[in-house]
Amino acid sequence: MSAQIIVFANQKGGVGKTTTAVNLGAFMAEAGKRILLVDFDPQGNLSSSVGSDHNRAGIYEVLAEKSTAEAALQTTGVENLTVLSSDINLSALNVELIDAEDKEYYLKDILDPLRPNYDYIFIDCPPSLGVLTLNGLAAADKVIIPMQCEYFALEGMTLLLRTIKSVQEGVNKDLQLGGIVFTMYDSRTNLANEVVQEVTSYFKDKVFRSIIPRNVKLSEAPSHGVPISKYDRSCQGALSYKNLAVEVIARG
Ligand SMILES: Nc1ncnc2c1ncn2[C@@H]1O[C@H](COP(=O)(O)OP(=O)(O)OP(=O)(O)O)[C@@H](O)[C@H]1O
Ligand SMILES: [Mg+2]
């Protein structure tokens, strides 16, 4: 058995990439799947969302060969949920990699040897289509696009899909679109409903049926360093991520 690698990507900022990676990962871990969360964003939001230790080596140190991947793995408060953290040091990689040969494969080379130890490896990307996100797309089997239910969400999609296509034609021919997950949904607004309908009519069954509502508990949990499953597991946000976990596992 070998882990499936899923990257969460959208160059638009604040659409729920990190929130989705953490909480989906936590519920899949609860369902018995061995999950590795890889923070590949210099903002380090995923790392703090699971309470990782900032003094430990993270993904940058592994890439810079100052640590082995094994030494950088950290347990979290959730059984089966492991994290490879990041911090602002990772931003140096943007610069360091610009002229490097095979610069898209740095992350893949680190993650492939870890595959036997997990069922899923999740990569959280920064809000850009730069070299970090390209490394994520090159390393992954599937890309999941978190999408906020608002008008401008659609505008960025063309560019994102074009990038995914060029990755599929170049550095990662096996990359598949794993799905689109709607986040921060507010059923009271017509616009949210229109966006869901329009995107669903285009992407059809690629759209996950579990829609994540706007829920303040989801935004509070990170400041406690725990996923929503450990903060308020009965809130709507938790239930929707739990449903999403069932769906993702079912899609295989
Ligand atoms: N469903 C939700 N309801 C309410 N708040 C949410 C929800 N999802 C995410 N948030 C909050 O919105 C903000 C942005 O979410 P998040 O950090 O997951 O997005 P992101 O796409 O990872 O952002 P970035 O592009 O900066 O990495 C965070 O403060 C988060 O706590
Ligand atoms: Mg993020």
Side-chain angles (χ1 to χ4, degrees), residues 198-217:
E198 191 175 338
V199 173
T200 306
S201 70
Y202 184 75
F203 289 101
K204 310 222 159 48
D205 54 5
K206 286 290 178 197
V207 176
F208 288 104
R209 275 175 292 118
S210 314
I211 294 180
I212 313 303
R214 190 172 280 284
N215 180 239
V216 70
K217 300 282 184 187

Side-chain angles (χ1 to χ4, degrees), residues 14 16-19 39 41 43 45-46 124-127:
K17 294 180 286 295
T18 304
T19 305
D39 192 346
D41 182 349
Q43 296 181 101
N45 294 152
L46 180 143
D124 184 30
C125 288

Side-chain angles (χ1 to χ4, degrees), residues 40-42 90-91 93-94 107 125-126 130-137:
F40 212 50
D41 182 349
L90 186 64
S91 59
L93 205 75
N94 266 318
L107 184 59
C125 288
V131 73
L132 294 175
T133 297
L134 283 179
N135 266 263
L137 292 169

Side-chain angles (χ1 to χ4, degrees), residues 211-237:
I211 294 180
I212 313 303
R214 190 172 280 284
N215 180 239
V216 70
K217 300 282 184 187
L218 288 170
S219 60
E220 290 169 2
S223 62
H224 299 267
V226 291
I228 197 67
S229 55
K230 295 272 180 195
Y231 181 64
D232 183 347
R233 51 183 302 110
S234 59
C235 71
Q236 280 305 319

Side-chain angles (χ1 to χ4, degrees), residues 8 16-26 37 46 122-124 241:
F8 295 82
K17 294 180 286 295
T18 304
T19 305
T20 300
V22 167
N23 295 310
L24 176 62
L37 298 175
L46 180 143
F122 286 180
I123 306 167
D124 184 30
Y241 274 117

